[in-house]
Amino acid sequence: MSYQIEPIGVIRSPYKEKFAVPRQPGLVPSARSEIVLQGEANVIEAVRGLEQFSHLWLLFLFDQNLDAGWRPTVRPPRLGGNERIGVFASRATFRPNGIGMSAVELKGVRQQGSDVIIELGGVDLVDGTPIVDIKPYIPYSDSLPEAQGGFATEQPDTLPVVFSAQVEVQLNEHQQQRAVIEEVLAQDPRPAYKKGKADPKEYAVHLFDYNVKFTVNCEQVQVTSLEKAKLS
């Protein structure tokens, strides 16, 4: 049997591309995102009582990966990108049905014109990701302090992030955006095999409306420039 799933909303987030998106929710707490409900789900009655909860489960589609298919084994970044494990022992984005799940903070609910909007924090989703379901996070059943985390028992280490003088001036009146850029780059978004290694290459990531350029050495991330991203 086959089933058809229709998205009930779409994410609006600072992450305009897959590169540098946090690998788990909550790693960039300063980031603010929102779900814009759509279709038959876009009614205020559908979110009645949602504000009683502090966190939500989001079920979504890895829509940018669906055409690439999947494999039974993957190389998790937490294992350096070299060791293979089963796809179901990972949170890899290339999966048989392309479904992901994230626990995120609920910031608020509002109606803007004809749109019902759910405001969120700590989201790890690319802008435009289709949302297929929303469920309240229930602490007594969903929080399991004695659970074992396998190869991902602790939050990954981060690097300090420094900004060039020019970038500091550019972000002086945009402190929330500055915080998001810092928290994203502190995760060192380069390929896993480059972790802990000096790298002469200058990288770039599209966050908000900026093309953020940076370099990484063994001890810190240096944000070298900030340019207005070109719209495609």
Side-chain angles (χ1 to χ4, degrees):
M1 296 180 66
S2 63
Y3 299 88
Q4 184 173 343
I5 295 178
E6 294 291 337
I8 53 91
V10 65
I11 277 281
R12 298 300 177 208
S13 83
Y15 311 114
K16 307 306 179 181
E17 59 184 356
K18 290 188 291 183
F19 179 57
V21 172
R23 293 190 171 103
Q24 302 295 343
L27 295 180
V28 182
S30 296
R32 296 291 180 267
S33 303
E34 57 188 31
I35 298 171
V36 182
L37 295 181
Q38 60 189 29
E40 294 182 356
N42 185 32
V43 290
I44 197 66
E45 290 82 3
V47 295
R48 183 181 299 162
L50 195 66
E51 70 282 353
Q52 301 176 51
F53 300 91
S54 65
H55 291 75
L56 305 174
W57 287 109
L58 303 184
L59 277 73
F60 57 90
L61 295 176
F62 291 112
D63 60 311
Q64 296 188 23
N65 296 344
L66 291 176
D67 292 337
W70 69 284
R71 293 183 178 180
T73 62
V74 296
R75 294 187 175 100
R78 287 294 291 270
L79 296 177
N82 297 313
E83 182 179 344
R84 282 194 174 275
I85 65 171
V87 65
F88 299 131
S90 79
R91 295 194 178 186
T93 58
F94 296 93
R95 315 188 69 81
N97 288 307
I99 296 174
M101 181 175 67
S102 290
V104 302
E105 184 180 5
L106 174 62
K107 292 291 187 179
V109 178
R110 73 181 193 275
Q111 186 156 17
Q112 185 172 308
S114 61
D115 293 327
V116 177
I117 297 173
I118 302 172
E119 301 167 351
L120 307 168
V123 170
D124 57 340
L125 304 181
V126 179
D127 186 61
T129 295
I131 303 298
V132 298
D133 203 3
I134 301 165
K135 301 178 187 294
Y137 180 95
I138 309 295
Y140 81 85
S141 63
D142 295 349
S143 177
L144 304 170
E146 303 304 319
Q148 298 183 22
F151 60 84
T153 56
E154 297 178 358
Q155 184 169 314
D157 294 332
T158 58
L159 292 174
V161 178
V162 296
F163 296 81
S164 69
Q166 179 183 356
V167 175
E168 286 282 11
V169 171
Q170 289 176 276
L171 292 174
N172 183 53
E173 297 181 359
H174 304 281
Q175 291 302 306
Q176 195 268 337
Q177 293 183 354
R178 184 190 188 283
V180 172
I181 292 170
E182 181 174 2
E183 291 169 6
V184 167
L185 297 184
Q187 310 293 324
D188 188 357
R190 299 176 301 161
Y193 67 88
K194 292 193 173 184
K195 299 286 186 181
K197 298 178 181 178
D199 189 351
K201 180 179 178 179
E202 184 176 56
Y203 293 84
V205 59
H206 189 179
L207 294 170
F208 299 102
D209 295 326
Y210 300 120
N211 192 38
V212 183
K213 294 187 176 181
F214 65 97
T215 59
V216 184
N217 61 35
C218 296
E219 299 179 352
Q220 67 181 20
V221 178
Q222 170 79 45
V223 182
T224 55
S225 67
L226 198 66
E227 304 169 353
K228 277 291 183 180
K230 296 179 181 180
L231 299 178
S232 56

